[in-house]
Amino acid sequence: MFLNFRRIRKCQFVQVMTTCLVLSVVMVCWEQLDHSVVSHIKSYSFRYLINSFTYINRSLTIPREQASYFSNFSYLLDHPNKCADKDVLLLLFVKSSPKNIERRNAIRATWGNETYIQNTLGVTVKVLFALGAIQTKQNELSQSSSDINYQKQLIKEDHLHGDLIQKDFLDSFHNLTLKLILQFHWMHSRCAHAHFFMTADDDIFVHMPNLVSYLQDLNSKGVTDFWIGRVHRGAPPIRSMDSKYYVPFEMYQWLSYPDYTAGASYVISSDVADKIYHASLTLNASLYIDDVFMGICANAMGVSPQDHVYFSGEGKAPYHQCIYNQMITSHGHVEDIYDLWKAATDPHVKQTASGLLGRLYCTVIKITLLCRPYYATYPCKAAFL
Ligand SMILES: *[C@@H]1O[C@H](CO)[C@@H](O)[C@H](O)[C@H]1NC(C)=O
Ligand SMILES: *[C@@H]1O[C@H](CO)[C@@H](O)[C@H](O)[C@H]1NC(C)=O
Ligand SMILES: *[C@@H]1O[C@H](CO)[C@@H](O)[C@H](O)[C@H]1NC(C)=O
Ligand SMILES: *[C@@H]1O[C@H](CO)[C@@H](O)[C@H](O)[C@H]1NC(C)=O
Ligand SMILES: *[C@@H]1O[C@H](CO)[C@@H](O)[C@H](O)[C@H]1NC(C)=O
């Protein structure tokens, strides 16, 4: 009797303690939770119920002379004839920083090798790197010698490969929108005949054979009004100043961004590229989150993005032949890019996934790899394609 009573007391004690613990965790996290839950409720309501992004368009429209500030930086490195070939399937811009020469070399030697693409896949793809200028110290009268050396190295690299497009704005995170505008202006004046345009980070892996066959298929159907990637719908602007993506109210006052694709990698058709170019001529491009700004331009021109399950917004694809068989892009690759390229383009990949048995095997594998909680690179439904 006495023992039983003690046990009950003990149980109650544990219960009370647990409740206290949970309550205090909730109290500590409430502000955070409240913040993100409320801001998502607001942004989804704005996106799905109000859906009136015309205000954004109207308020960000500025006179052309003022908008030209964002595109009028002069070229430091350029290749006006790079796109002279008649039939260019894809113009692919990689957003890179001056110091990331190793990433560029890895891309040139793997998925971005134009010669390989031409010889093996039989299409013309132009791969260019979009760069800003190297930072010069503010309080020095002349550029420091290391900066000049840096630029000299870039010029040397460019002599060797002929694929750097650089403009005279500071290469920084908060100038990414200027880099976006650089790409659209370059395409407009130098490569308007390319069928597709793609932009990607320099730590992206692109499964070029899969991408090319996908785009060839679309091209043969004469697709237009096309914009594909990993879509963000109803994303709220981030108002917390600790965040890299912080946007002040004065810069963007609405509760939700128009739909946009993750800047890590997306593809558009050339008619859309032309529309974005024209939108950029009259919009205030101070909003420094480049993929969001792309969404604003597209919205102003009435273009909406579509989701592709094998474009990665964030995160690496699982290393498996069944994934390689269908993947288009994967994010966050630097050291492993050579190995991944070799493995992903191995002829065995197609063999493994072919036939009834192969397809069945791959579906089971993909379910185990993709349909897990907290796994976000490719959605679970990608397992069933
Ligand atoms: C663009 O820059 C050039 C000098 O680089 C300048 O002469 C011209 O007025 C600028 N254009 C506009 C519209 O700001
Ligand atoms: C690109 O591919 C070609 C042909 O496959 C090869 O000869 C060349 O070495 C490759 N380039 C680089 C930078 O690896
Ligand atoms: C963007 O580039 C311009 C031109 O070089 C520079 O004045 C400005 O400070 C840069 N902005 C940021 C946030 O780096
Ligand atoms: C563009 O937006 C920025 C930030 O919101 C603002 O400071 C600037 O005055 C605007 N530019 C024009 C020309 O309206
Ligand atoms: C956005 O504004 C521009 C210029 O004011 C206008 O031509 C365009 O039709 C607007 N787009 C939408 C979707 O309202």
Side-chain angles (χ1 to χ4, degrees):
M1 186 65 205
F2 180 68
L3 262 177
N4 243 342
F5 183 66
R6 282 254 310 245
R7 197 175 290 157
I8 289 168
R9 288 256 308 244
K10 214 166 160 183
C11 270
Q12 279 179 335
F13 178 71
V14 171
Q15 255 177 11
V16 168
M17 285 309 285
T18 318
T19 313
C20 283
L21 193 74
V22 169
L23 271 178
S24 49
V25 168
V26 167
M27 268 160 69
V28 168
C29 300
W30 182 248
E31 208 175 342
Q32 192 57 40
L33 200 71
D34 183 48
H35 220 77
S36 96
V37 169
V38 170
S39 79
H40 274 91
I41 290 173
K42 282 186 188 160
S43 71
Y44 288 147
S45 315
F46 189 81
R47 157 70 176 79
Y48 291 101
L49 302 178
I50 304 174
N51 204 347
S52 121
F53 290 103
T54 43
Y55 300 122
I56 301 173
N57 182 33
R58 223 170 291 154
S59 86
L60 292 186
T61 297
I62 55 175
R64 279 172 183 261
E65 308 79 64
Q66 281 171 25
S68 77
Y69 162 76
F70 301 103
S71 58
N72 201 25
F73 296 95
S74 53
Y75 282 107
L76 299 177
L77 295 170
D78 188 16
H79 299 279
N81 299 320
K82 170 84 181 179
C83 230
D85 310 58
K86 260 211 302 285
D87 202 23
V88 179
L89 179 70
L90 172 68
L91 168 64
L92 199 163
F93 261 112
V94 180
K95 301 174 268 182
S96 191
S97 297
K99 63 175 197 311
N100 290 351
I101 179 165
E102 265 156 37
R103 293 186 184 191
R104 292 193 287 277
N105 281 337
I107 290 171
R108 288 174 181 127
T110 58
W111 60 262
N113 183 337
E114 292 175 355
T115 318
Y116 168 89
I117 297 168
Q118 187 78 63
N119 294 349
T120 313
L121 308 174
V123 294
T124 305
V125 172
K126 298 291 172 186
V127 181
L128 289 166
F129 296 93
L131 305 166
I134 291 148
Q135 177 144 32
T136 55
K137 315 268 178 323
Q138 288 292 302
N139 47 6
E140 279 172 39
L141 285 177
S142 62
Q143 290 188 320
S144 76
S145 58
S146 76
D147 292 335
I148 291 173
N149 280 340
Y150 241 138
Q151 186 63 23
K152 270 193 186 146
Q153 268 174 32
L154 272 187
I155 293 170
K156 225 164 95 186
E157 180 189 341
D158 190 49
H159 269 308
L160 209 58
H161 302 287
D163 56 5
L164 303 184
I165 306 296
Q166 185 189 31
K167 268 195 169 186
D168 192 14
F169 56 80
L170 180 64
D171 195 292
S172 67
F173 175 76
H174 286 101
N175 269 342
L176 272 176
T177 299
L178 298 181
K179 201 174 272 183
L180 181 81
I181 289 176
L182 176 163
Q183 298 165 50
F184 282 108
H185 280 249
W186 198 89
M187 175 153 180
H188 176 79
S189 60
R190 319 246 197 260
C191 202
H193 58 290
H195 294 287
F196 295 95
F197 165 91
M198 177 170 182
T199 182
D201 288 347
D202 63 2
D203 58 347
I204 276 281
F205 176 81
V206 179
H207 196 297
M208 195 52 86
N210 288 354
L211 175 68
V212 162
S213 72
Y214 176 60
L215 294 181
Q216 276 180 310
D217 185 41
L218 290 167
N219 195 35
S220 69
K221 293 176 187 150
V223 72
T224 54
D225 225 18
F226 178 78
W227 176 18
I228 204 146
R230 174 58 62 90
V231 181
H232 291 281
R233 291 195 168 82
I238 296 185
R239 304 298 190 195
S240 152
M241 285 172 86
D242 323 322
S243 169
K244 182 179 168 190
Y245 300 103
Y246 164 72
V247 166
F249 190 77
E250 304 80 61
M251 191 169 272
Y252 189 89
Q253 52 186 286
W254 295 276
L255 293 170
S256 160
Y257 291 133
D259 298 353
Y260 67 96
T261 51
S265 63
Y266 54 85
V267 176
I268 59 179
S269 52
S270 61
D271 61 311
V272 172
D274 189 57
K275 286 179 183 169
I276 303 300
Y277 164 80
H278 281 101
S280 80
L281 297 177
T282 58
L283 284 174
N284 185 340
S286 301
L287 185 69
Y288 40 66
I289 303 179
D290 63 330
D291 43 11
V292 170
F293 184 73
M294 166 72 188
I296 291 172
C297 292
N299 196 265
M301 303 310 272
V303 177
S304 343
Q306 305 168 49
D307 243 322
H308 189 300
V309 289
Y310 280 111
F311 273 73
S312 154
E314 244 165 74
K316 289 184 184 186
Y319 299 108
H320 198 283
Q321 296 203 336
C322 292
I323 300 291
Y324 303 154
N325 187 44
Q326 286 175 299
M327 70 186 293
I328 306 274
T329 70
S330 177
H331 195 194
H333 298 276
V334 180
E335 281 88 25
D336 60 347
I337 212 164
Y338 294 92
D339 291 339
L340 181 55
W341 174 245
K342 234 174 124 195
T345 53
D346 192 299
H348 287 121
V349 168
K350 288 270 170 271
Q351 282 168 24
T352 306
S354 67
L356 187 62
L357 237 74
R359 285 204 299 277
L360 204 65
Y361 163 74
C362 273
T363 304
V364 173
I365 292 285
K366 285 185 291 180
I367 290 171
T368 60
L369 290 173
L370 307 179
C371 302
R372 293 185 274 128
Y374 308 114
Y375 176 78
T377 303
Y378 303 134
C380 176
K381 65 176 177 216
F384 302 95
L385 293 180

